[in-house]
């Protein structure tokens, strides 16, 4: 039996718990915008999915898998995703991540201003949260896009970051954005990046 775990960058992410084994990851793009990530996972009996809110008030809930649609195979789950994404819009597309398993799909984040410290994180991770968890050193105060303290520069791997948010535009000029500056609390990474501040 299989289920699909959905995550939306900047809004929430679904995390497997014991009894749920990730099999494939598919990303939903609309144009260049990364709309969602779908993890097709094998379900071994009853379990709960951990839903983590990435925007305020930053809560977490455990949702029983009995509320999830079940699929008999991975291909059935993928067919359901393709139907969900639809093909009426030329810009909508589903893309399978090129990885053998989600466990090997880690990205590397290098904190250049912290002695070049490099850590690994799952794709679609929030830059500031990884910095806090791994002691990366990016300065911060509010963590919610209000103060601008977590301004940093993506020195390499800008193509692996998500779209600039409106909150960032309040603190960063068009020139800043052109030069790779982002607010770490609003930035999600899907590949290797190096940052300074």
């Amino acid at each position: 039996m299989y289920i699909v775990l959905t995550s939306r960058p900047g809004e929430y992410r679904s995390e497997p718990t014991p009894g749920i084994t990730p099999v494939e990851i598919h990303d939903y793009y609309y144009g260049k915008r990364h709309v969602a990530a779908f993890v097709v996972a094998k379900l071994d009996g009853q379990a709960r999915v951990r839903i983590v809110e990435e925007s305020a008030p930053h809560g977490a809930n455990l949702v029983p898998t009995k509320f999830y649609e079940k699929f008999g195979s991975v291909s059935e789950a993928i067919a359901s995703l393709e139907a969900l994404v639809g093909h009426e819009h030329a810009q909508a597309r589903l893309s399978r991540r090129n990885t053998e398993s989600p466990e090997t799909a880690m990205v590397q984040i290098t904190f250049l201003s912290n002695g070049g410290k490099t850590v690994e994180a799952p794709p679609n991770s929030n830059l500031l949260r990884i910095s806090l968890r791994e002691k990366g050193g990016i300065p911060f105060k509010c963590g919610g896009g209000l103060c601008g303290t977590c301004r940093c520069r993506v020195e390499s791997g800008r193509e692996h970051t998500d779209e600039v948010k409106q909150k960032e535009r309040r603190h960063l000029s068009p020139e800043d954005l052109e030069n790779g500056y982002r607010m770490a609390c609003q930035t999600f990474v899907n590949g290797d990046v190096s940052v300074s501040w």
Side-chain angles (χ1 to χ4, degrees), residues 9-190:
E11 294 179 32
Y12 67 89
R13 70 180 183 277
S14 299
E15 299 176 344
T17 59
I20 302 172
T21 307
V23 177
E24 289 185 7
I25 303 175
H26 293 259
D27 292 296
Y28 170 35
Y29 292 95
Y30 191 85
K32 290 187 175 180
R33 188 166 65 95
H34 184 221
V35 179
F38 301 112
V39 175
V40 178
K42 189 172 189 300
L43 185 59
D44 303 315
Q46 290 299 322
R48 293 175 182 260
V49 177
R50 187 167 188 259
I51 309 292
V52 180
E53 294 176 35
E54 293 183 334
S55 56
H58 305 294
N61 293 300
L62 289 172
V63 178
T65 53
K66 68 180 181 181
F67 295 113
Y68 282 73
E69 184 176 358
K70 311 291 189 305
F71 303 96
S73 67
V74 172
S75 56
E76 279 182 33
I78 303 304
S80 172
L81 290 177
E82 288 174 346
L84 177 70
V85 170
H87 297 288
E88 299 84 44
H89 300 284
Q91 294 191 46
R93 65 186 171 87
L94 199 58
S95 174
R96 181 179 176 188
R97 287 197 193 157
N98 186 18
T99 177
E100 286 139 32
S101 70
E103 291 80 12
T104 63
M106 302 295 273
V107 301
Q108 289 194 334
I109 300 171
T110 302
F111 299 100
L112 297 170
S113 301
N114 188 5
K117 179 175 185 171
T118 300
V119 302
E120 288 194 336
N124 201 32
S125 289
N126 178 271
L127 188 53
L128 180 59
R129 295 217 178 148
I130 295 302
S131 175
L132 293 171
R133 189 170 71 215
E134 301 289 346
K135 298 179 174 45
I138 295 176
F140 80 102
K141 285 184 184 172
C142 75
L146 302 175
C147 69
T149 305
C150 64
R151 167 191 160 118
C152 60
R153 185 176 186 192
V154 181
E155 301 286 354
S156 67
R158 290 180 202 171
E159 70 276 13
H160 298 144
T161 59
D162 64 342
E163 270 190 359
V164 174
K165 317 294 185 310
Q166 194 57 43
K167 286 181 179 179
E168 293 178 273
R169 296 184 191 282
R170 292 186 195 128
H171 296 280
L172 302 171
S173 69
E175 293 77 24
D176 287 337
L177 296 170
E178 182 69 30
N179 288 316
Y181 286 94
R182 296 291 302 266
M183 285 168 54
C185 71
Q186 300 297 304
T187 304
F188 290 79
V189 298
N190 284 297

